[in-house]
Amino acid sequence: MQQIIKLDLGYNNIGSLNSEFLSCLISNQVLRYLNLSNSELVTIPPEIIHLVETNQLTELNLSKVYITCTCDTVQIRTWLNDFKPQISRYDEIYCAETGHQVITATN
């Protein structure tokens, strides 16, 4: 069975990632790059956060993604800020409600 190193799902109308797909990502020990740019995701699944935190993913592209920004999701902003080196074009991730950047280069 071949292992996927780079997975580009950018520019797709992906609104959510199902648990079976996320389980496959976690079990694929060689995946290093995941592109979810320009998707319809409104939240970052915990499984994706885990892949970045454990350095399995060395690059995650979420540019032009509009995530939900509420008091309940404030930890996502902190997480994005903490893992900026692994998040491609982090300054192009926006709040769905306002259109403002979630984090900037100066955060």
Side-chain angles (χ1 to χ4, degrees):
M1 181 173 133
Q2 283 190 309
Q3 296 288 315
I4 298 171
I5 296 170
K6 186 175 187 176
L7 183 57
D8 187 344
L9 299 174
Y11 292 88
N12 281 292
N13 292 328
I14 298 171
S16 65
L17 302 170
N18 70 35
S19 59
E20 184 178 345
F21 174 77
L22 291 166
S23 293
C24 287
L25 288 183
I26 290 172
S27 66
N28 180 343
Q29 296 296 307
V30 298
L31 181 68
R32 296 294 175 255
Y33 173 83
L34 179 60
N35 182 0
L36 295 168
S37 65
N38 290 279
S39 68
E40 301 293 322
L41 289 177
V42 294
T43 188
I44 303 169
E47 295 86 349
I48 299 297
I49 291 171
H50 172 77
L51 291 173
V52 172
E53 289 177 343
T54 59
N55 291 316
Q56 182 174 336
L57 278 180
T58 56
E59 188 173 350
L60 174 63
N61 188 339
L62 294 170
S63 66
K64 307 268 173 39
V65 171
Y66 289 79
I67 63 171
T68 301
C69 296
T70 65
C71 293
D72 295 334
T73 59
V74 73
Q75 71 274 13
I76 292 295
R77 181 181 173 145
T78 301
W79 179 82
L80 288 167
N81 197 47
D82 290 346
F83 287 90
K84 272 196 251 187
Q86 290 164 260
I87 311 296
S88 300
R89 300 165 76 177
Y90 59 82
D91 58 338
E92 293 183 13
I93 303 169
Y94 303 99
C95 287
E97 297 78 13
T98 65
H100 295 113
Q101 292 173 303
V102 174
I103 61 171
T104 64
T106 60
N107 283 31

